[in-house]
PDB file of all heavy atoms in Angstrom:
ATOM      1  N   VAL A   5     112.968 140.268 103.048  1.00  0.00           N
ATOM      2  CA  VAL A   5     113.671 140.598 104.287  1.00  0.00           C
ATOM      3  C   VAL A   5     112.728 141.426 105.155  1.00  0.00           C
ATOM      4  O   VAL A   5     111.981 142.269 104.638  1.00  0.00           O
ATOM      5  CB  VAL A   5     114.947 141.423 103.976  1.00  0.00           C
ATOM      6  CG1 VAL A   5     115.571 141.974 105.222  1.00  0.00           C
ATOM      7  CG2 VAL A   5     115.942 140.599 103.203  1.00  0.00           C
ATOM      8  N   TYR A   6     112.758 141.182 106.453  1.00  0.00           N
ATOM      9  CA  TYR A   6     112.021 142.040 107.375  1.00  0.00           C
ATOM     10  C   TYR A   6     112.883 143.243 107.703  1.00  0.00           C
ATOM     11  O   TYR A   6     114.031 143.095 108.119  1.00  0.00           O
ATOM     12  CB  TYR A   6     111.675 141.299 108.668  1.00  0.00           C
ATOM     13  CG  TYR A   6     110.398 140.514 108.559  1.00  0.00           C
ATOM     14  CD1 TYR A   6     110.425 139.141 108.415  1.00  0.00           C
ATOM     15  CD2 TYR A   6     109.175 141.161 108.595  1.00  0.00           C
ATOM     16  CE1 TYR A   6     109.264 138.413 108.303  1.00  0.00           C
ATOM     17  CE2 TYR A   6     108.002 140.441 108.490  1.00  0.00           C
ATOM     18  CZ  TYR A   6     108.051 139.075 108.344  1.00  0.00           C
ATOM     19  OH  TYR A   6     106.889 138.365 108.225  1.00  0.00           O
ATOM     20  N   GLN A   7     112.342 144.437 107.506  1.00  0.00           N
ATOM     21  CA  GLN A   7     113.071 145.664 107.805  1.00  0.00           C
ATOM     22  C   GLN A   7     112.083 146.670 108.391  1.00  0.00           C
ATOM     23  O   GLN A   7     111.080 146.990 107.764  1.00  0.00           O
ATOM     24  CB  GLN A   7     113.710 146.225 106.530  1.00  0.00           C
ATOM     25  CG  GLN A   7     114.669 147.350 106.757  1.00  0.00           C
ATOM     26  CD  GLN A   7     115.344 147.770 105.453  1.00  0.00           C
ATOM     27  OE1 GLN A   7     114.712 147.768 104.406  1.00  0.00           O
ATOM     28  NE2 GLN A   7     116.601 148.120 105.537  1.00  0.00           N
ATOM     29  N   ASN A   8     112.384 147.148 109.579  1.00  0.00           N
ATOM     30  CA  ASN A   8     111.505 148.094 110.269  1.00  0.00           C
ATOM     31  C   ASN A   8     110.082 147.544 110.417  1.00  0.00           C
ATOM     32  O   ASN A   8     109.102 148.268 110.242  1.00  0.00           O
ATOM     33  CB  ASN A   8     111.472 149.450 109.556  1.00  0.00           C
ATOM     34  CG  ASN A   8     112.821 150.121 109.545  1.00  0.00           C
ATOM     35  OD1 ASN A   8     113.654 149.892 110.416  1.00  0.00           O
ATOM     36  ND2 ASN A   8     113.055 150.954 108.536  1.00  0.00           N
ATOM     37  N   GLY A   9     109.969 146.241 110.692  1.00  0.00           N
ATOM     38  CA  GLY A   9     108.664 145.639 110.899  1.00  0.00           C
ATOM     39  C   GLY A   9     107.872 145.411 109.631  1.00  0.00           C
ATOM     40  O   GLY A   9     106.678 145.130 109.675  1.00  0.00           O
ATOM     41  N   ARG A  10     108.512 145.568 108.467  1.00  0.00           N
ATOM     42  CA  ARG A  10     107.830 145.381 107.191  1.00  0.00           C
ATOM     43  C   ARG A  10     108.551 144.323 106.376  1.00  0.00           C
ATOM     44  O   ARG A  10     109.775 144.207 106.426  1.00  0.00           O
ATOM     45  CB  ARG A  10     107.796 146.696 106.412  1.00  0.00           C
ATOM     46  CG  ARG A  10     106.937 147.738 107.079  1.00  0.00           C
ATOM     47  CD  ARG A  10     107.040 149.099 106.471  1.00  0.00           C
ATOM     48  NE  ARG A  10     107.060 149.094 105.019  1.00  0.00           N
ATOM     49  CZ  ARG A  10     107.259 150.177 104.298  1.00  0.00           C
ATOM     50  NH1 ARG A  10     107.463 151.327 104.872  1.00  0.00           N
ATOM     51  NH2 ARG A  10     107.276 150.112 102.981  1.00  0.00           N
ATOM     52  N   LEU A  11     107.820 143.579 105.609  1.00  0.00           N
ATOM     53  CA  LEU A  11     108.387 142.578 104.726  1.00  0.00           C
ATOM     54  C   LEU A  11     108.714 143.246 103.401  1.00  0.00           C
ATOM     55  O   LEU A  11     107.838 143.809 102.741  1.00  0.00           O
ATOM     56  CB  LEU A  11     107.389 141.436 104.515  1.00  0.00           C
ATOM     57  CG  LEU A  11     107.870 140.251 103.696  1.00  0.00           C
ATOM     58  CD1 LEU A  11     109.019 139.553 104.426  1.00  0.00           C
ATOM     59  CD2 LEU A  11     106.736 139.285 103.464  1.00  0.00           C
ATOM     60  N   ILE A  12     109.994 143.200 103.004  1.00  0.00           N
ATOM     61  CA  ILE A  12     110.438 143.902 101.802  1.00  0.00           C
ATOM     62  C   ILE A  12     111.000 142.894 100.812  1.00  0.00           C
ATOM     63  O   ILE A  12     111.773 142.011 101.170  1.00  0.00           O
ATOM     64  CB  ILE A  12     111.513 144.952 102.156  1.00  0.00           C
ATOM     65  CG1 ILE A  12     110.901 146.018 103.053  1.00  0.00           C
ATOM     66  CG2 ILE A  12     112.086 145.576 100.912  1.00  0.00           C
ATOM     67  CD1 ILE A  12     111.880 147.044 103.537  1.00  0.00           C
ATOM     68  N   GLN A  13     110.610 143.061  99.558  1.00  0.00           N
ATOM     69  CA  GLN A  13     111.122 142.207  98.485  1.00  0.00           C
ATOM     70  C   GLN A  13     112.474 142.751  98.046  1.00  0.00           C
ATOM     71  O   GLN A  13     112.592 143.908  97.653  1.00  0.00           O
ATOM     72  CB  GLN A  13     110.138 142.203  97.316  1.00  0.00           C
ATOM     73  CG  GLN A  13     110.529 141.312  96.183  1.00  0.00           C
ATOM     74  CD  GLN A  13     109.530 141.374  95.057  1.00  0.00           C
ATOM     75  OE1 GLN A  13     108.486 142.023  95.177  1.00  0.00           O
ATOM     76  NE2 GLN A  13     109.842 140.726  93.967  1.00  0.00           N
ATOM     77  N   THR A  14     113.516 141.924  98.098  1.00  0.00           N
ATOM     78  CA  THR A  14     114.876 142.408  97.836  1.00  0.00           C
ATOM     79  C   THR A  14     115.260 142.404  96.365  1.00  0.00           C
ATOM     80  O   THR A  14     116.292 142.956  96.005  1.00  0.00           O
ATOM     81  CB  THR A  14     115.906 141.556  98.606  1.00  0.00           C
ATOM     82  OG1 THR A  14     115.743 140.195  98.238  1.00  0.00           O
ATOM     83  CG2 THR A  14     115.725 141.727 100.093  1.00  0.00           C
ATOM     84  N   ASN A  15     114.466 141.807  95.515  1.00  0.00           N
ATOM     85  CA  ASN A  15     114.805 141.762  94.096  1.00  0.00           C
ATOM     86  C   ASN A  15     113.754 142.473  93.239  1.00  0.00           C
ATOM     87  O   ASN A  15     113.503 142.087  92.111  1.00  0.00           O
ATOM     88  CB  ASN A  15     114.972 140.315  93.637  1.00  0.00           C
ATOM     89  CG  ASN A  15     113.701 139.515  93.730  1.00  0.00           C
ATOM     90  OD1 ASN A  15     112.772 139.908  94.424  1.00  0.00           O
ATOM     91  ND2 ASN A  15     113.656 138.391  93.041  1.00  0.00           N
ATOM     92  N   LYS A  16     113.171 143.525  93.746  1.00  0.00           N
ATOM     93  CA  LYS A  16     112.092 144.222  93.048  1.00  0.00           C
ATOM     94  C   LYS A  16     112.649 144.984  91.848  1.00  0.00           C
ATOM     95  O   LYS A  16     113.641 145.693  91.943  1.00  0.00           O
ATOM     96  CB  LYS A  16     111.400 145.194  93.992  1.00  0.00           C
ATOM     97  CG  LYS A  16     110.139 145.801  93.408  1.00  0.00           C
ATOM     98  CD  LYS A  16     109.466 146.687  94.410  1.00  0.00           C
ATOM     99  CE  LYS A  16     108.123 146.139  94.751  1.00  0.00           C
ATOM    100  NZ  LYS A  16     107.395 146.988  95.659  1.00  0.00           N
ATOM    101  N   LYS A  17     112.009 144.841  90.735  1.00  0.00           N
ATOM    102  CA  LYS A  17     112.403 145.527  89.509  1.00  0.00           C
ATOM    103  C   LYS A  17     111.749 146.907  89.459  1.00  0.00           C
ATOM    104  O   LYS A  17     110.733 147.154  90.091  1.00  0.00           O
ATOM    105  CB  LYS A  17     111.953 144.729  88.282  1.00  0.00           C
ATOM    106  CG  LYS A  17     112.520 143.351  88.204  1.00  0.00           C
ATOM    107  CD  LYS A  17     113.935 143.398  87.746  1.00  0.00           C
ATOM    108  CE  LYS A  17     114.463 141.990  87.546  1.00  0.00           C
ATOM    109  NZ  LYS A  17     115.856 141.983  87.278  1.00  0.00           N
ATOM    110  N   PHE A  18     112.332 147.798  88.661  1.00  0.00           N
ATOM    111  CA  PHE A  18     111.777 149.134  88.513  1.00  0.00           C
ATOM    112  C   PHE A  18     110.382 149.059  87.910  1.00  0.00           C
ATOM    113  O   PHE A  18     109.495 149.816  88.285  1.00  0.00           O
ATOM    114  CB  PHE A  18     112.694 149.995  87.637  1.00  0.00           C
ATOM    115  CG  PHE A  18     112.303 151.435  87.593  1.00  0.00           C
ATOM    116  CD1 PHE A  18     112.713 152.304  88.585  1.00  0.00           C
ATOM    117  CD2 PHE A  18     111.509 151.927  86.572  1.00  0.00           C
ATOM    118  CE1 PHE A  18     112.345 153.637  88.567  1.00  0.00           C
ATOM    119  CE2 PHE A  18     111.141 153.261  86.548  1.00  0.00           C
ATOM    120  CZ  PHE A  18     111.564 154.115  87.545  1.00  0.00           C
ATOM    121  N   SER A  19     110.181 148.140  86.998  1.00  0.00           N
ATOM    122  CA  SER A  19     108.876 148.008  86.337  1.00  0.00           C
ATOM    123  C   SER A  19     107.782 147.557  87.305  1.00  0.00           C
ATOM    124  O   SER A  19     106.599 147.732  87.026  1.00  0.00           O
ATOM    125  CB  SER A  19     108.976 147.027  85.176  1.00  0.00           C
ATOM    126  OG  SER A  19     109.360 145.752  85.647  1.00  0.00           O
ATOM    127  N   ALA A  20     108.156 146.998  88.455  1.00  0.00           N
ATOM    128  CA  ALA A  20     107.171 146.535  89.432  1.00  0.00           C
ATOM    129  C   ALA A  20     106.655 147.658  90.327  1.00  0.00           C
ATOM    130  O   ALA A  20     105.712 147.461  91.086  1.00  0.00           O
ATOM    131  CB  ALA A  20     107.767 145.434  90.301  1.00  0.00           C
ATOM    132  N   LEU A  21     107.260 148.841  90.232  1.00  0.00           N
ATOM    133  CA  LEU A  21     106.797 149.979  91.037  1.00  0.00           C
ATOM    134  C   LEU A  21     105.465 150.482  90.512  1.00  0.00           C
ATOM    135  O   LEU A  21     105.100 150.244  89.358  1.00  0.00           O
ATOM    136  CB  LEU A  21     107.828 151.107  91.000  1.00  0.00           C
ATOM    137  CG  LEU A  21     109.188 150.816  91.621  1.00  0.00           C
ATOM    138  CD1 LEU A  21     110.115 152.001  91.399  1.00  0.00           C
ATOM    139  CD2 LEU A  21     109.060 150.524  93.093  1.00  0.00           C
ATOM    140  N   LYS A  22     104.755 151.219  91.334  1.00  0.00           N
ATOM    141  CA  LYS A  22     103.498 151.826  90.906  1.00  0.00           C
ATOM    142  C   LYS A  22     103.807 152.947  89.921  1.00  0.00           C
ATOM    143  O   LYS A  22     104.869 153.554  89.959  1.00  0.00           O
ATOM    144  CB  LYS A  22     102.748 152.384  92.111  1.00  0.00           C
ATOM    145  CG  LYS A  22     102.307 151.303  93.071  1.00  0.00           C
ATOM    146  CD  LYS A  22     101.625 151.891  94.274  1.00  0.00           C
ATOM    147  CE  LYS A  22     101.255 150.799  95.261  1.00  0.00           C
ATOM    148  NZ  LYS A  22     100.702 151.339  96.486  1.00  0.00           N
ATOM    149  N   GLN A  23     102.854 153.244  89.051  1.00  0.00           N
ATOM    150  CA  GLN A  23     103.044 154.245  88.002  1.00  0.00           C
ATOM    151  C   GLN A  23     103.403 155.608  88.589  1.00  0.00           C
ATOM    152  O   GLN A  23     104.271 156.297  88.081  1.00  0.00           O
ATOM    153  CB  GLN A  23     101.775 154.349  87.143  1.00  0.00           C
ATOM    154  CG  GLN A  23     101.933 155.249  85.947  1.00  0.00           C
ATOM    155  CD  GLN A  23     102.932 154.730  84.946  1.00  0.00           C
ATOM    156  OE1 GLN A  23     103.136 153.530  84.818  1.00  0.00           O
ATOM    157  NE2 GLN A  23     103.577 155.630  84.237  1.00  0.00           N
ATOM    158  N   LYS A  24     102.750 155.990  89.653  1.00  0.00           N
ATOM    159  CA  LYS A  24     103.018 157.280  90.289  1.00  0.00           C
ATOM    160  C   LYS A  24     104.449 157.339  90.822  1.00  0.00           C
ATOM    161  O   LYS A  24     105.112 158.374  90.713  1.00  0.00           O
ATOM    162  CB  LYS A  24     102.015 157.508  91.426  1.00  0.00           C
ATOM    163  CG  LYS A  24     102.015 158.894  91.983  1.00  0.00           C
ATOM    164  CD  LYS A  24     100.888 159.070  92.977  1.00  0.00           C
ATOM    165  CE  LYS A  24     100.863 160.485  93.521  1.00  0.00           C
ATOM    166  NZ  LYS A  24      99.772 160.687  94.458  1.00  0.00           N
ATOM    167  N   GLN A  25     104.929 156.223  91.374  1.00  0.00           N
ATOM    168  CA  GLN A  25     106.298 156.167  91.874  1.00  0.00           C
ATOM    169  C   GLN A  25     107.298 156.285  90.729  1.00  0.00           C
ATOM    170  O   GLN A  25     108.280 157.015  90.818  1.00  0.00           O
ATOM    171  CB  GLN A  25     106.539 154.861  92.639  1.00  0.00           C
ATOM    172  CG  GLN A  25     105.765 154.760  93.929  1.00  0.00           C
ATOM    173  CD  GLN A  25     105.871 153.381  94.556  1.00  0.00           C
ATOM    174  OE1 GLN A  25     106.034 152.380  93.861  1.00  0.00           O
ATOM    175  NE2 GLN A  25     105.773 153.334  95.872  1.00  0.00           N
ATOM    176  N   LYS A  26     107.026 155.563  89.634  1.00  0.00           N
ATOM    177  CA  LYS A  26     107.921 155.618  88.461  1.00  0.00           C
ATOM    178  C   LYS A  26     107.980 157.031  87.894  1.00  0.00           C
ATOM    179  O   LYS A  26     109.055 157.531  87.573  1.00  0.00           O
ATOM    180  CB  LYS A  26     107.442 154.656  87.376  1.00  0.00           C
ATOM    181  CG  LYS A  26     107.664 153.209  87.701  1.00  0.00           C
ATOM    182  CD  LYS A  26     107.415 152.357  86.482  1.00  0.00           C
ATOM    183  CE  LYS A  26     106.167 151.565  86.615  1.00  0.00           C
ATOM    184  NZ  LYS A  26     105.913 150.653  85.521  1.00  0.00           N
ATOM    185  N   GLU A  27     106.820 157.670  87.763  1.00  0.00           N
ATOM    186  CA  GLU A  27     106.779 159.026  87.214  1.00  0.00           C
ATOM    187  C   GLU A  27     107.511 160.008  88.121  1.00  0.00           C
ATOM    188  O   GLU A  27     108.225 160.886  87.638  1.00  0.00           O
ATOM    189  CB  GLU A  27     105.330 159.467  87.016  1.00  0.00           C
ATOM    190  CG  GLU A  27     104.631 158.774  85.878  1.00  0.00           C
ATOM    191  CD  GLU A  27     103.145 159.094  85.808  1.00  0.00           C
ATOM    192  OE1 GLU A  27     102.632 159.854  86.678  1.00  0.00           O
ATOM    193  OE2 GLU A  27     102.485 158.594  84.888  1.00  0.00           O
ATOM    194  N   GLY A  28     107.331 159.868  89.425  1.00  0.00           N
ATOM    195  CA  GLY A  28     108.012 160.752  90.366  1.00  0.00           C
ATOM    196  C   GLY A  28     109.521 160.621  90.275  1.00  0.00           C
ATOM    197  O   GLY A  28     110.252 161.619  90.267  1.00  0.00           O
ATOM    198  N   ILE A  29     110.006 159.392  90.186  1.00  0.00           N
ATOM    199  CA  ILE A  29     111.443 159.160  90.074  1.00  0.00           C
ATOM    200  C   ILE A  29     111.969 159.716  88.760  1.00  0.00           C
ATOM    201  O   ILE A  29     112.990 160.404  88.719  1.00  0.00           O
ATOM    202  CB  ILE A  29     111.744 157.651  90.204  1.00  0.00           C
ATOM    203  CG1 ILE A  29     111.443 157.176  91.625  1.00  0.00           C
ATOM    204  CG2 ILE A  29     113.185 157.347  89.832  1.00  0.00           C
ATOM    205  CD1 ILE A  29     111.455 155.667  91.786  1.00  0.00           C
TER     206      ILE A  29
END
Side-chain angles (χ1 to χ4, degrees):
V5 171
Y6 274 104
Q7 190 175 37
N8 297 333
R10 293 171 42 186
L11 184 64
I12 296 176
Q13 183 181 355
T14 57
N15 64 342
K16 189 177 243 183
K17 300 283 185 188
F18 188 84
S19 61
L21 296 176
K22 295 178 183 175
Q23 186 65 29
K24 191 173 181 179
Q25 293 172 331
K26 288 191 251 184
E27 288 173 359
I29 292 169

